[in-house]
Structure formats: C-alpha cells, structure tokens
Amino acid sequence: MARRVIGLDVGTYSIKVVHLEGQGRNNDVKVVQYAEKKLEPLQATEGQDASSVLLESQVAALMALKADGLFDGFPIVTGLKGADAQVRSLTMPFADTKKIDAVLSGVLDAQLPMDVEDLIVTWFLQKKTGDENKLLVAYARREAIAAHLALLGRAQIDPRSVVLTSGALFDLYERRLCQQLPEGDQGSSIVVEIGHTSTNFCLIRNGELEVARAILRGGADATQLIAERLEISSAAAEEKKHQAFIEIGENKGKLLEEHLLSEAMKLAYQPQLREIKQMELALRQTDQRIDQIFLVGGGSRIRHLDLYLAETLQIPIRRVDDLGEIGMSCPPQAASALSYALQGLPATKKPMQFNFRREEFAFKGEYNLVRSRVRPLVIWVLIALSVFGIYGLTRASMLGKEVADLKAEQLKVCESVIGQKVDSATQCLKQIKERVSGKGVLAVADFSAVDVYLEIPRVVPSDLQIKVTDLDITDKAVRMGGETGSFELIDRLVESLARGHCFSNIDKGRARQTATGVGFQITFDLDCSAQKDK
C-alpha cells in the first residue's frame, strides 16, 4: 500500500511543499504534488524588527497553503537549517544505545561552548571499526526548536518530525541523485544545496553519510552584492540576479553591467567554494577524493554557476534541474522539502535520521491526523451498521416465515391423523396421546413418526431459528439435518431435543460452516422405556 508523506520547507524566500508517495522500503517513490508560495514583503510596524516581519510573512504564506488543503490528512516532516542545528562526529568504545545515551551529555558538555541542558541531542551509529564506534551527533537549541514549532503552530501545523536539513540530503542522494551514477561507481559525493540565506553540505562516502554541515551564506548574499555594486534596490538586484550569468570560458558579457553582475556573483559564492575545498582537503588525507558534486537549491539556478564551480574546483559538477524524475516535475529549490518527505518514508537500509522531536517536543499529534478523517469514517460506520441491520431484519423475517409454514404443515398433518379440525398442533397432539393411552383406538406404535414430527416443535423454542432440510425417521432412530445461524444455536437445539419424550442418545454430529450459515446433522434414538421420567 502506498504511503504519502508531506515535506515542508519553511524558507526565508518562499515556502515549499512536496507530497511524496512511496511503496515499501524501496526506491519506488514519486512526487504527486508540489507547491511553492513566495513570501510577500510586509511593511514593518512600529516596534517590529526584520525578524518579526519575516515571521509574519512566513505565517501568512503557511496559512495560504493550508487553506488550499496542502497539509491535510498526512504526516508532515520539516527541518532546521543553518545556525539552529549542528553536527559533530564522536567516537565511542561501545555501541550499546543505553550506554551511549548515559555518557553522551558529558562528552558534549566537555566539547561545546554552551550548556548541554539547553540542547536537544539526537544521534545515530555511523559505522563500527574494530573496537571504535563512530557516531554522528546533531544538536539544536531548545529555543530554536520551540520557535520553529510555534511558527508552524500559528498555522495549526503539527509536524511528525523535525529533522536536520543537511543530514536529510543523504536521503535525496540515496533515492534520487545516486541513480544518475554508473552502478558500483559512487565513490565520494557532495550534495550542495544553495538556499536563500544558507547553504547545506552533505558528504557521502562509499554510500554512507560522512559529513553534514551548513553555512549562513546563500543567494541573498549575491543579491546584496549586486545591489551594492550597481547601487540599486534589493528588489531590483534580485530580478537582475535571476537574469544574469557568470562569465566562464567563452561565455563573456558584452556590457559592463553583465561583467559587474558576474564578478558580484563569483564573490558571493566564495564561502561555498572554501567549504568544498576544506572537505576535499580532509578526504585527500585519507587518500580519497571528491568524485562529483550535485548542485541543488534555488541558488543553484544561476546560469553557468555549475561551469564556474567545475573549473575552479576541477571536480565534475552535476546540476540537477528536476528532482521529480517519476511523477510531477520538482524544481531544484524543492530539494529540502523533498529530502524531508523522503526521510518520512521507511528507510531503504539502516536509518540515518536526526529527529529533534524528543523530550518535551515529542510528537503527540496522532489523533490530529485521524481527526480530519473522523467525519467520513463515521459516515462509513453508519452505512455499515445500516446494511447489517437491514440484513438482520430480512433474515429474521425469512426465518419467521419458515417457522410459521412449518407449524401450519404440522397442524395439517396432525388433523389428517385424528380426522377432525383443531385449533393448534399442541391440542391435536394431546388428543392423539389420550387415544393411545386409553383403549388403543389408534393402532399406532409406542412412539410413531407422527409423534416425532410433533414432539420436535414442542421442545424446540420458537425463537430458535433453524431450517430443517432433512428428517429421516425409523423405528429406533431419527436423523435430522438442516442449517442455523451459528454453532451456539446447534448446542441449544441439542439441549432442547434432550428434553423430548423418548428422545435419547442425542448426537449432534459434525457441524460445518456454509455460505449461508452453519450446517448440522443430528441423530438420536427413540427409546420410550429409557425416558419414562420425561
């Protein structure tokens, strides 16, 4: 059964939402819906700073997307970026989860310039080498997590997981990007996601997450440099950035402005270049190298940026223009939202997820996911109950008619035996017994077939719903076959027959389930001498 997950990326330029469907624990996933809502510029009121204005813009965009039904009915995964969360690699002499949890706070307290009590810590075992166990540990400030959840809460959004963006890019690589590589030739790759105000780096070596890192530099830095160089507004600089290109090789601008734009953007992306070079230097110390870089994110759309990075770094650059592959088209700026959604699906191998919804921030909203479907669920339950009720009434009516027909037939047979009209089969049976016990007017056996025929409805309660399809009466025994509603009703029938005059050695035989009920085959002996007390 396909499972749908919503990835929600709350950015500083726009809000991105990806609906992803996955089947089992494989790579069979597809984008079924994508939406992006650009943040509307708001005017700051008295006492508001830039962060407050940004917050209000984000809330307005989230509420607009929610009004379109984009957050209804499915689990949501979102993430923390930039300075809100960081990752550190640690080595432990043991791999036991309880032992690691017991000592991890003390280890971090000795290494971090902040109080560990103010952090939420999440980790996973990266790999084991001999007696050493390498952990990747992510930590985020509690106030940052609380602020992120409060922002979403204003739009009545309760995410199941809050993950680390740079770490989530590993799932994007594993289920999307590495499929572009020749089989068995993954080597070392870096996924670089350039956003508006931050850039995330995810280094994967031999199919394992090695480094997850972020810097507070992004496309907004290029916009600011362009505005300063050309002495124009930020809005105008943003528009020119999307039209500009980076000069590389024979791709040269003809106008001075084009050259100025190119130089501004080259300068703006120097922090990303330095970060990649540091990773490459670290790999070379282990006699390895970076085999390719995947370029995603809204900031990666600058024309010729991939060519510029490839020439500067001397590393193959793969710019990904469509992350969808299967299903809907998914632009590069959806990388974070798609990564979040992928982390919400079952892992293809051991999970590598940092989830900050722990301790006081633990997800408690399972009921909220069901609440949106309560109304249709109640309707379906009422429909089902109505169908079963109608079926029960119909069945009872049919069985009641069969019982009435059986009693009428009993009366008819009884009247033919005594040769006169009577009011009921019970009265008829009484007259027959009187004649038999008197002077022997009727030459009948001690207990005839007619007696059996009349005795059965006498001892079987009228509310016991049975259908007799076979009644074979001999001098010494009776075999009765038919159908009833349940195995319990067969037991009641046997108990009733045991009270019958001259009925002994009741054997209920083997009951069996049929398409319309439970079939039975009951046999019993006719022995009046053994049951004179009845």
Side-chain angles (χ1 to χ4, degrees):
M1 181 178 179
R3 177 181 177 183
R4 181 178 291 199
V5 179
I6 302 173
L8 170 60
D9 176 19
V10 182
T12 56
Y13 181 78
S14 64
I15 309 292
K16 278 80 69 177
V17 181
V18 170
H19 283 231
L20 194 67
E21 278 191 356
Q23 189 89 26
R25 292 180 177 272
N26 51 39
N27 288 326
D28 185 17
V29 295
K30 64 179 180 179
V31 176
V32 294
Q33 191 171 6
Y34 171 72
E36 181 177 4
K37 178 69 175 178
K38 184 180 177 181
L39 302 185
E40 296 294 337
L42 300 178
Q43 294 295 327
T45 59
E46 186 177 352
Q48 274 191 321
D49 55 14
S51 61
S52 299
V53 175
L54 173 62
L55 180 65
E56 295 302 322
S57 298
Q58 290 172 326
V59 170
L62 286 169
M63 295 184 70
L65 291 168
K66 184 174 179 62
D68 293 335
L70 287 166
F71 304 124
D72 295 341
F74 299 101
I76 300 170
V77 182
T78 185
L80 296 178
K81 296 185 178 183
D84 290 334
Q86 298 180 39
V87 177
R88 184 175 291 265
S89 179
L90 296 176
T91 301
M92 292 285 183
F94 40 77
D96 184 80
T97 300
K98 292 183 178 179
K99 290 183 179 180
I100 292 175
D101 285 334
V103 303
L104 189 57
S105 296
V107 174
L108 289 175
D109 192 45
Q111 296 187 14
L112 301 179
M114 58 188 75
D115 191 346
V116 178
E117 294 298 322
D118 296 332
L119 305 175
I120 290 291
V121 179
T122 175
W123 62 273
F124 65 82
L125 183 62
Q126 185 183 26
K127 61 183 177 181
K128 183 175 182 179
T129 306
D131 295 332
E132 291 188 347
N133 300 279
K134 186 176 180 181
L135 311 179
L136 279 183
V137 183
Y139 53 91
R141 293 176 294 111
R142 293 179 187 270
E143 60 179 334
I145 301 171
H148 187 70
L149 292 175
L151 164 63
L152 298 176
R154 289 183 59 182
Q156 296 182 336
I157 298 170
D158 187 19
R160 180 187 295 273
S161 302
V162 178
V163 301
L164 178 70
T165 303
S166 55
L169 291 175
F170 171 78
D171 285 75
L172 181 66
Y173 169 83
E174 183 185 36
R175 301 204 193 195
R176 277 287 189 268
L177 305 180
C178 73
Q179 297 175 17
Q180 302 177 12
L181 302 175
E183 188 173 354
D185 187 29
Q186 295 186 9
S188 297
S189 304
I190 301 179
V191 182
V192 180
E193 184 214 21
I194 304 176
H196 188 59
T197 56
S198 64
T199 300
N200 293 286
F201 303 86
C202 183
L203 172 61
I204 300 99
R205 183 165 60 171
N206 300 324
E208 301 288 341
L209 175 59
E210 188 76 16
V211 176
R213 191 175 299 171
I215 60 173
L216 296 179
R217 293 290 185 271
D221 296 281
T223 302
Q224 183 178 352
L225 281 172
I226 291 171
E228 293 173 356
R229 295 287 178 92
L230 300 184
E231 298 182 350
I232 57 177
S233 66
S234 296
E238 185 72 23
E239 184 176 350
K240 285 187 177 294
K241 181 182 70 174
H242 292 156
Q243 299 171 354
F245 62 91
I246 295 179
E247 295 178 331
I248 187 74
E250 296 180 356
N251 299 305
K252 300 292 185 181
K254 297 180 180 180
L255 303 176
L256 176 61
E257 182 179 282
E258 292 176 333
H259 177 70
L260 292 175
L261 288 171
S262 174
E263 292 302 310
M265 287 187 290
K266 286 181 180 179
L267 182 60
Y269 287 107
Q270 289 305 305
Q272 287 85 351
L273 280 169
R274 286 194 297 270
E275 195 70 23
I276 295 172
K277 288 178 179 179
Q278 290 177 6
M279 292 184 182
E280 182 185 25
L281 182 60
L283 276 180
R284 284 183 178 177
Q285 293 176 357
T286 60
D287 296 327
Q288 292 190 352
R289 60 185 177 84
I290 298 174
D291 295 290
Q292 59 269 320
I293 295 174
F294 292 95
L295 199 59
V296 296
S300 69
R301 294 179 296 173
I302 300 298
R303 284 191 295 166
H304 304 160
L305 175 60
D306 54 333
L307 301 178
Y308 170 66
L309 294 177
E311 181 181 85
T312 305
L313 297 169
Q314 292 298 299
I315 299 173
I317 303 292
R318 295 174 180 266
R319 190 174 76 173
V320 184
D321 294 321
D322 187 0
L323 295 166
E325 292 189 8
I326 302 174
M328 292 185 59
S329 176
C330 198
Q333 62 266 32
S336 287
L338 180 57
S339 299
Y340 301 154
L342 287 168
Q343 289 226 316
L345 294 175
T348 57
K349 49 184 180 180
K350 68 176 183 180
M352 294 186 178
Q353 182 186 98
F354 301 110
N355 185 8
F356 295 107
R357 294 221 68 173
R358 299 161 61 91
E359 299 180 20
E360 71 266 32
F361 303 113
F363 179 68
K364 302 181 181 68
E366 292 288 351
Y367 172 73
N368 293 332
L369 293 176
V370 179
R371 187 172 57 184
S372 62
R373 300 184 180 182
V374 166
R375 184 175 179 181
L377 182 63
V378 170
I379 292 174
W380 278 110
V381 169
L382 292 176
I383 291 174
L385 291 175
S386 300
V387 170
F388 283 119
I390 293 171
Y391 172 78
L393 291 174
T394 305
R395 182 70 175 169
S397 177
M398 293 174 62
L399 290 174
K401 186 177 183 301
E402 290 178 1
V403 171
D405 292 343
L406 180 59
K407 288 184 176 180
E409 186 66 22
Q410 290 173 352
L411 182 60
K412 182 179 177 181
V413 172
C414 187
E415 288 175 345
S416 67
V417 172
I418 64 175
Q420 66 182 59
K421 293 285 185 179
V422 292
D423 295 332
S424 66
T426 303
Q427 184 182 356
C428 180
L429 178 62
K430 182 178 180 180
Q431 291 186 25
I432 292 175
K433 287 184 176 181
E434 288 175 353
R435 296 181 186 184
V436 171
S437 62
K439 297 181 180 180
V441 178
L442 293 178
V444 295
D446 289 342
F447 206 76
S448 67
V450 174
D451 292 322
V452 173
Y453 197 74
L454 296 175
E455 184 70 353
I456 291 175
R458 186 186 73 81
V459 298
V460 175
S462 60
D463 64 339
L464 186 59
Q465 299 175 352
I466 62 170
K467 180 179 181 181
V468 178
T469 58
D470 182 26
L471 187 61
D472 185 16
I473 304 173
T474 66
D475 291 339
K476 299 295 182 181
V478 176
R479 180 170 57 84
M480 183 170 65
E483 189 177 271
T484 185
S486 67
F487 293 93
E488 291 77 7
L489 293 180
I490 296 176
D491 294 332
R492 287 185 58 194
L493 177 58
V494 170
E495 292 174 1
S496 300
L497 291 173
R499 295 192 296 269
H501 183 65
C502 295
F503 295 172
S504 64
N505 299 329
I506 313 294
D507 182 8
K508 70 176 181 181
R510 182 179 179 182
R512 67 188 185 282
Q513 187 74 45
T514 67
T516 57
V518 179
F520 63 86
Q521 195 72 250
I522 298 175
T523 60
F524 53 90
D525 296 336
L526 296 177
D527 186 359
C528 294
S529 63
Q531 298 194 6
K532 293 184 181 297
D533 57 331
K534 289 191 177 182

